[in-house]
Amino acid sequence: MNKAYDTMRAFWLDVKNLQHKQDVPQLGAQKVCVAGVEMAAVDAKGVLKHILIAASSLGNASIYFENNSPSGIGGFTGGSSSGAIYEKAQQLLKQAAQSAEQLTPAATLPVQDNPKQVTLFTISIDGQIRMANVPEAEVRQAGYPLYAFFAYTQQLLGAFRAQQEAAQSKPPAPPKETPKA
């Protein structure tokens, strides 16, 4: 895992990063305020890359992924007060809070290094991590107990993609004329 990805991952896994912003909503019996999924994939060069999709109960969300750019990381951030990303982040947190009892408490969140597995996680207001490391093929099945949790992470990913596509499809602003002297 590269340093830039590790830094952003650590940011999302530390609930204290939310607490200075405002009162942090706590959802469900486990008082969930951060939830998401970490996945791995092998790039075209055969190098393992990590992907993190995370959201908070404040309505903000981020996606970070390792890539082959000079910084080694790409990503998106959004939500916070309105729009599709905010709505999907809120849906993800509600479902994660309902699913938290099915997750195992953990002292830390192990890095997901298996492209055939995904790690679903929640973090409570007191920093308690709960997680499930599950086969991706199984969690994509509608009958799987954590299917809805995983599905909302993918819907959040879709909201980011739609926002990015909309931003890229806008025509560039015409150049401003420079007054001649």
Side-chain angles (χ1 to χ4, degrees):
M1 175 178 2
N2 73 43
K3 178 124 177 85
Y5 178 87
D6 185 48
T7 298
M8 297 316 302
R9 183 182 191 271
F11 174 85
W12 274 97
L13 297 179
D14 185 356
V15 74
K16 292 176 187 166
N17 290 318
L18 299 177
Q19 295 172 345
H20 72 282
K21 299 191 187 256
Q22 65 190 49
D23 290 333
V24 179
Q26 304 165 33
L27 302 162
Q30 297 301 320
K31 299 181 180 182
V32 173
C33 58
V34 173
V37 64
E38 186 172 42
M39 302 178 284
V42 177
D43 72 8
K45 296 179 182 179
V47 178
L48 185 73
K49 303 292 184 178
H50 299 93
I51 304 157
L52 179 76
I53 302 171
S56 83
S57 58
L58 297 173
N60 59 327
S62 293
I63 297 174
Y64 293 104
F65 50 89
E66 290 180 300
N67 62 22
N68 295 322
S69 71
S71 70
I73 191 170
F76 307 96
T77 190
S80 86
S81 62
S82 65
I85 292 171
Y86 174 85
E87 291 169 15
K88 294 301 179 187
Q90 291 298 300
Q91 290 172 332
L92 169 57
L93 263 292
K94 287 176 186 172
Q95 184 58 52
Q98 291 174 7
S99 301
E101 293 294 327
Q102 298 174 52
L103 307 178
T104 304
T108 61
L109 187 70
V111 175
Q112 181 52 263
D113 286 331
N114 183 343
K116 294 183 179 185
Q117 300 279 323
V118 301
T119 302
L120 295 166
F121 65 90
T122 63
I123 305 172
S124 67
I125 193 69
D126 62 0
Q128 173 64 64
I129 296 171
R130 297 179 77 84
M131 56 148 309
N133 187 35
V134 298
E136 183 175 356
E138 290 179 27
V139 78
R140 288 186 179 276
Q141 301 300 314
Y144 193 83
L146 296 170
Y147 168 78
F149 184 171
F150 181 73
Y152 279 120
T153 68
Q154 301 309 288
Q155 288 181 22
L156 180 56
L157 174 61
F160 273 108
R161 284 182 176 163
Q163 181 183 52
Q164 186 67 17
E165 288 173 6
Q168 290 175 342
S169 68
K170 290 183 181 176
K176 294 182 180 180
E177 289 189 35
T178 306
K180 296 187 180 181

